[in-house]
Amino acid sequence: MDRNTHPTPARLRALPSWVINQAAITANRLTDRALAGASSRRQFAMLSALDEFGPSSQADLGRCTGIDRSDVVTGVNAMVEQGFLEQRPDPADGRRKIVTLTPAGKEHLERLSALIADAQNELLRALSPSESKMIVDLLNRVLDGG
């Protein structure tokens, strides 16, 4: 629906939840398009977490990214096959697997980061750099509960 031809009711545009949801839909569409054929948002999130926090169990990887456990397993298995991750039994608990980012995974993450940055720039193109930083800071405060 074209916003110029079919304007959104002011009552909806005044609701933070509605505006955030509409922005998220647009953000996900742009990100999915940017990553098409290269990866997925979930894989990007898992690679990012492993890069920042280091080796992790699949359960912890799901918790820190907000990704469902079954989707973590599927994503990890795919990235192991692609050579982006290694998976080994946890020496402290053989039932648990520890996932580690490989050098190829780090390179892949850097390529994906550039694609994601382009999508973010497109999403926030109407904002100045300081406004873009401000919206990210404000939304993180909402997410953090304070």
Side-chain angles (χ1 to χ4, degrees):
M1 183 183 306
D2 181 356
R3 290 182 201 259
N4 295 326
T5 308
H6 303 285
T8 303
R11 187 179 303 231
L12 291 178
R13 291 180 67 91
L15 296 171
S17 59
W18 189 87
V19 174
I20 289 168
N21 187 54
Q22 295 305 301
I25 290 168
T26 300
N28 289 338
R29 181 179 42 80
L30 291 169
T31 302
D32 288 344
R33 187 173 67 205
L35 294 175
S39 195
S40 69
R41 285 182 280 132
R42 287 182 181 134
Q43 288 183 352
F44 177 76
M46 289 186 277
L47 291 169
S48 295
L50 291 168
D51 183 51
E52 184 170 340
F53 303 129
S56 173
S57 70
Q58 290 182 359
D60 286 342
L61 192 55
R63 282 190 278 276
C64 77
T65 59
I67 299 171
D68 182 81
R69 185 177 182 157
S70 64
D71 292 328
V72 169
V73 170
T74 301
V76 165
N77 288 342
M79 289 189 287
V80 166
E81 286 180 26
Q82 294 169 304
F84 300 145
L85 301 178
E86 290 179 346
Q87 191 169 229
R88 295 195 176 113
D90 183 342
D93 181 353
R95 298 168 296 173
R96 190 165 69 164
K97 295 181 181 178
I98 299 296
V99 181
T100 306
L101 187 65
T102 66
K106 175 75 171 173
E107 289 176 19
H108 186 60
L109 175 60
E110 295 308 318
R111 286 189 300 274
L112 297 178
S113 293
L115 297 172
I116 293 282
D118 290 343
Q120 303 309 294
N121 289 335
E122 185 175 349
L123 174 67
L124 300 176
R125 70 182 176 275
L127 304 179
S128 70
S130 63
E131 289 170 327
S132 294
K133 182 181 179 333
M134 183 185 307
I135 199 165
V136 170
D137 291 345
L138 291 171
L139 288 171
N140 274 308
R141 280 179 49 197
V142 168
L143 290 175
D144 294 341

